[in-house]
Amino acid sequence: MINSTLSNLSYFILGAYLHVGNLRYFYFLITALLYIVIVAVNTSLIVVICLNRSLHEPMYLFLCSLFVNELYGSTGLFPFLLLQILSDIHTVSVPFCYLQIFCLYTYGHVQFSNLAVMSYDRYLAICYPLQYNTRMTLNKVFILIIVVWLYSFVKFLMTLSLNIRLTQCGNIINSLYCQNYLVVKLACSDTRLNDIYGLVGIVFSVVIPLLLIFCSYIKILKVCFAASKQTRQKAVSTCTPQLVSLLNFSFGCSFEILQSRFDMTGVPSVLRIILSLYFLIVQPLLNPIMYGMQMSKIRRTFKRLFCFKLLTGQRLVKVQ
């Protein structure tokens, strides 16, 4: 009878939420403020890139894809997190749980793949500057962006199809949000196919993009050591944000993978919560701020647009 009931689950219980009493309203405001800032800074840079023809270059279009992905991943977590913070009972329906898994895992895959494509773009720009415009045309840029997103979606639709067939014998997920591995662990049916596909997925989602990034930057370093000081400075200014973004995201993902697979009860609960949200909060804030400050062309265009709107607003006030 118990197995029959659990095999037809309609919801999961999220077991990582702490009882904080009235402090939940404070945490709600902090979380809401973070989400508003993430949406504002990423949307601003997307608008700046899209509206300015001078920024319609491969590097900035890949950045635009990256910022869209930050909005996508944040939206997959923050509205849900805000509802859970105010709720007394931390449950999530099975369909919505699978939807959240799809959003967050495609976000991670697009992030790694996008950074890999950006590293290849920098490799062509620095190692083959005279052939860059013919090798990296706007058509190729759009094709690469579409392939990254489409491949990520198709790959994780297959992951979901494997999960849905499983018979669940538990419904408590020890996390703040739905995670694929933790849901699979609740199954009492055979999960070997899921495990094999998961390992293959890690190779294609993480290992291959990281190898492409590593090879690209090794070749860039070789060229920089033999190039002029000006070339080295240009390479550093364009490549540093990508490396910082990659290291930051890899750190956040690594902790979340370790936490879901190993016993982390020795780590304080508050620290576990902060680190589990790290790659979904810090990355969407870090990327737009870092690229906006580091990329002089984006910074100048943003200032020019802001000043133009400010002056236009002042003139309208005077006319009225």
Side-chain angles (χ1 to χ4, degrees), residues 6-9 12 94 98 159-169 180-195:
L6 289 173
S7 64
N8 295 293
L9 289 175
F12 292 109
V94 171
Y98 286 136
T159 300
L160 283 185
S161 66
L162 290 174
N163 287 358
I164 290 169
R165 69 181 181 85
L166 296 175
T167 302
Q168 302 293 340
C169 290
N180 184 63
Y181 182 76
L182 296 180
V183 170
V184 172
K185 277 176 66 177
L186 296 174
C188 50
S189 53
D190 188 7
T191 62
R192 282 179 295 181
L193 186 58
N194 295 70
D195 296 336

Side-chain angles (χ1 to χ4, degrees), residues 48 51-52 300-310:
V48 166
L51 293 183
N52 287 270
R300 287 196 303 268
T301 306
F302 190 83
K303 285 180 179 178
R304 190 167 64 248
L305 274 176
F306 180 77
C307 292
F308 175 75
K309 288 181 179 179
L310 190 63

